[in-house]
């Protein structure tokens, strides 16, 4: 008798918002800095009665708005689309490098019926507000995926995970936070190591993506590509656009 297939729960379509969890703000120190520059420009415009400080204040407001939009909405919509395009079966093993409070990890987990999604992080609060394993676990409950996820506290440059075991490795705006090119290279090596042959890698980041593309090619990954993810993932405007680097681990010839 054939095994009964459980259908994977579809990700809510892009328009369905907000998510049930609470995911904080990325790079939270950025907003107070913008706030200070905004206030300086407003005061300057009022005192000097010149147009340039007023235009400066408007530009800063635009940057702040766009950064917030990407953190709170844009990145979810973009990753929902990326995950839908992968057409997952539901039995995959997925790893999210630098999962934070679980924004991308739990979107991915909602595609799984029998598979498992693992999130690894050091829960740095300078990179995401309210970042903690506890906050991520609360979100997993809220999104209804707690039964199919695992959270691990570990540095993504030294993964305490066996090789060749994940069908899909993801990472969203995490690897650029690692200090030093050699350490970022180590994170890429680890991502490749834990992927199973034939497995896919998707890294979205706002810096260093040309390096990721080159280094993944050097590591022997195939189908390596880099593309701009568009206005929904501008972190303060078009000058801070997110790019996606995708690649596949070759199947070894026996
Ligand atoms: C901007 S947040 C993005 C979180 C999540 N990917 C998302 O999209 O919501 C970057 C994350 O990378 C994590 N991170 C930075 N360096 C790390 C490292 N060396 N190992 C593990 N996680 C790291 C931070 O703790 C933070 O949770």
């Amino acid at each position: 008798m054939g095994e009964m297939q459980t259908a994977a729960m579809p990700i809510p379509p892009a328009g369905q918002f907000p998510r049930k969890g609470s995911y904080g703000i990325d790079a939270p120190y950025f907003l107070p800095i913008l706030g200070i520059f905004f206030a300086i420009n407003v005061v300057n415009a009022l005192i000097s009665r010149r147009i340039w400080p007023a235009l400066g204040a408007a530009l800063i407001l635009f940057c702040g708005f766009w950064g917030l939009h990407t953190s709170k909405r844009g990145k979810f919509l973009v990753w929902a689309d990326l995950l839908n395009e992968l057409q997952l079966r539901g039995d995959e093993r997925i790893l999210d490098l630098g999962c934070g409070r679980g924004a991308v990890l739990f979107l991915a987990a909602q595609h799984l019926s029998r598979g498992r999604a693992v999130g690894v992080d050091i829960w740095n609060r300078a990179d995401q507000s309210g970042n903690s394993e506890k906050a991520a676990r609360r979100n997993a409950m809220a999104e209804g995926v707690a039964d199919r996820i695992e959270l691990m506290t570990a540095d993504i440059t030294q993964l305490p995970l066996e090789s060749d075991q994940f069908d899909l490795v993801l990472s969203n705006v995490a690897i650029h936070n690692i200090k030093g090119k050699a350490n970022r290279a180590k994170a890429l090596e680890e991502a490749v190591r834990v992927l199973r042959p034939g497995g896919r890698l998707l890294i979205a980041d706002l810096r260093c993506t040309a390096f990721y593309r080159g280094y993944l090619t050097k590591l022997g990954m195939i189908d390596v590509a880099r593309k701009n993810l568009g206005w929904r993932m501008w972190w303060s405007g078009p000058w801070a656009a997110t790019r996606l680097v995708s690649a596949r681990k070759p199947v070894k010839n026996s």
Side-chain angles (χ1 to χ4, degrees), residues 91-212:
D91 62 355
E92 288 84 356
R93 280 184 66 78
I94 300 175
L95 175 67
D96 184 356
L97 299 173
C99 63
R101 294 169 67 161
V104 173
L105 179 66
F106 304 148
L107 279 173
Q110 284 181 317
H111 278 273
L112 300 178
S113 48
R114 285 166 296 144
R116 204 126 187 97
V118 180
V120 178
D121 207 295
I122 50 171
W123 323 108
N124 188 348
R125 289 189 178 210
D127 295 338
Q128 189 166 74
S129 63
N131 203 0
S132 71
E133 182 175 347
K134 205 167 154 194
R137 215 166 279 288
R138 266 200 308 272
N139 285 340
M141 298 285 286
E143 305 292 359
V145 295
D147 59 340
R148 67 200 88 156
I149 63 115
E150 268 170 54
L151 298 172
M152 297 176 65
T153 301
D155 192 315
I156 58 177
T157 62
Q158 285 178 294
L159 291 173
L161 293 165
E162 283 175 21
S163 303
D164 300 333
Q165 59 160 312
F166 289 96
D167 302 284
L168 178 61
V169 174
L170 311 168
S171 184
N172 188 47
V173 288
I175 299 177
H176 77 274
N177 288 307
I178 299 171
K179 301 266 179 297
K181 201 170 174 178
N183 288 327
R184 289 192 286 274
K186 192 84 188 82
L188 297 180
E189 287 163 22
E190 285 292 83
V192 171
R193 179 181 67 77
V194 299
L195 261 182
R196 71 160 176 77
R200 287 176 286 190
L201 174 64
L202 295 186
I203 301 174
D205 219 331
L206 75 162
R207 286 195 280 115
C208 313
T209 51
F211 167 67
Y212 303 162

Side-chain angles (χ1 to χ4, degrees), residues 16 24-25 34 40 56 65 70 75 103 107 112 114 117 122 144 153 174 185 189 195 219 224 232 244 250:
Q16 272 189 19
I25 296 169
L34 281 185
I40 291 171
F65 165 78
T70 297
K75 71 176 182 185
L107 279 173
L112 300 178
R114 285 166 296 144
I122 50 171
T153 301
E189 287 163 22
L195 261 182
L219 290 175
V224 184
R232 293 179 302 178
L244 178 77

